[in-house]
Amino acid sequence: MKTKDGITLITLAVTIVIMLILAGTTINALTGKNGIVARSKEAKEANEEGKAKEYLNFLLDDYNSSNYLQETEDGLTDYLYSLKNKGKFENFLLSDEDTLIIQYKKKYYEVGQNDGFYFVKSVLSEEINKDGKYFIITAKNIKDGKIDILAGCTYIVLDEVSGQNFNFVIPEGEAVTIKILGNMDIDNRGYKRSAIDIKSGATLNLYIYGRVNVDSGYGEDASENIPGKGGYAGIHVPEGATLSLYGSGQIYAQGGNAGNGEIARNSSLAAGGGGAGAGIGGNGGNGGAGVSNDTARVCENGKDGENCGTVNVYSKLSVYAYGGSGGSGGINTYGASGGAGGYPGAGIGGGGAGGAGATCCTGAGGYTGGG
């Protein structure tokens, strides 16, 4: 008898499938999210950051000991400049000896203070909200004109983001801290939003050390008997929200102008202008509509402006807050009643009330502004 050794096609197929599964498992173990390569990279970064902390703490300890023993007349700023000039690190940012950040090997380290002794507290991540509670904001991590802020976290803003069109939205929950160390503009005049929008139930601790300009969105003009829209607050602090301001710099907060009432045609009744947003506080109210047809003559009062939440100002910070302008009342080209103008917003306080639609009804005009 003669025999021939070999394998069937089915056996070969099963063998190939098993080999592919094993290969996929191996590759995933090596290169997956929690794979050997990723863990090795994280371990390497953690080791490098640990060495950097040790190195920077050594530099700070030299100042701590000299300062404690009163062996130096130089202040911390002079000491840091001397280290920078010697190439010990790339750069540093110091604000009133309260917030100190040292840039070393392209990473940012926040320095804390305890009874006059300085130490490296944490590495600031540029990957917003990846992990931890301390993050640094730069131009490259601003996406789609906004930054996702998480409750309970601290964000350090460097001056290189100045001029970017973005806004901060502060969620309710544990207090959020934002420290702006340089001069910057948060310009949102072309958007339907506040430059800094604190939700009801949220708390923002905002530190300003440079010169910060805040401009917010304008209300839309009326069209087709839709009344003028209210303007947005520069820093939106509605009822239930808390804003605490700190630092030694200057902040200029400009509320958004309101939309104008519609120019009425064909014997329609003109719409009212919107109320303006506060510099710091409430948004403006919408204007009232005005409609005339064969069966009814309808006009609305303007909507009240939004009340303001709690605003605290501490330290040596200078605050310049300006409410926006109320929208103009719509005019009527056929001599019928025109709409009322909206009211300006407060510097710090409530948003302006919207103006009434055509003044054919009693109580026309939204006279009550936000508190």
Side-chain angles (χ1 to χ4, degrees), residues 95-217:
S95 301
D96 290 349
E97 299 192 4
D98 172 70
T99 299
L100 171 60
I101 296 172
I102 296 177
Q103 183 183 12
Y104 176 63
K105 291 187 175 180
K106 298 182 179 180
K107 288 186 177 290
Y108 297 90
Y109 296 84
E110 185 179 29
V111 176
Q113 183 184 170
N114 186 11
D115 293 331
F117 288 84
Y118 295 90
F119 63 95
V120 176
K121 185 163 64 173
S122 62
V123 181
L124 299 177
S125 174
E126 291 183 70
E127 295 186 46
I128 297 299
N129 302 329
K130 179 183 177 183
D131 49 31
K133 285 197 169 187
Y134 295 87
F135 306 96
I136 194 161
I137 293 175
T138 61
K140 67 182 182 182
N141 57 29
I142 298 174
K143 297 178 181 179
D144 301 322
K146 68 174 184 177
I147 299 168
D148 293 324
I149 300 293
L150 294 183
C153 292
T154 296
Y155 299 85
I156 310 295
V157 185
L158 299 183
D159 54 2
E160 63 242 43
V161 303
S162 184
Q164 297 284 326
N165 289 322
F166 67 96
N167 77 325
F168 295 110
V169 179
I170 312 302
E172 60 180 310
E174 191 177 350
V176 171
T177 297
I178 297 177
K179 296 183 178 182
I180 301 176
L181 301 185
N183 300 330
M184 66 181 301
D185 299 312
I186 310 177
D187 190 346
N188 280 260
R189 285 173 291 182
Y191 300 87
K192 300 174 185 178
R193 65 192 187 193
S194 291
I196 300 177
D197 187 1
I198 307 172
K199 300 300 183 182
S200 181
T203 298
L204 172 62
N205 299 317
L206 181 60
Y207 291 75
I208 305 291
Y209 294 105
R211 179 188 174 101
V212 176
N213 297 308
V214 175
D215 281 290
S216 286

Side-chain angles (χ1 to χ4, degrees), residues 2 17 31 43 68 82 101-102 134 141-142 220 224 230 242 244 250 253 260 267 273 290 295 314 358 366 370:
K2 295 182 179 180
V17 169
T31 62
Y68 179 76
S82 68
I101 296 172
I102 296 177
Y134 295 87
N141 57 29
I142 298 174
E220 293 180 279
E224 298 180 358
T242 300
S244 293
Q250 298 175 327
N260 298 320
S267 73
T295 60
Y314 300 101

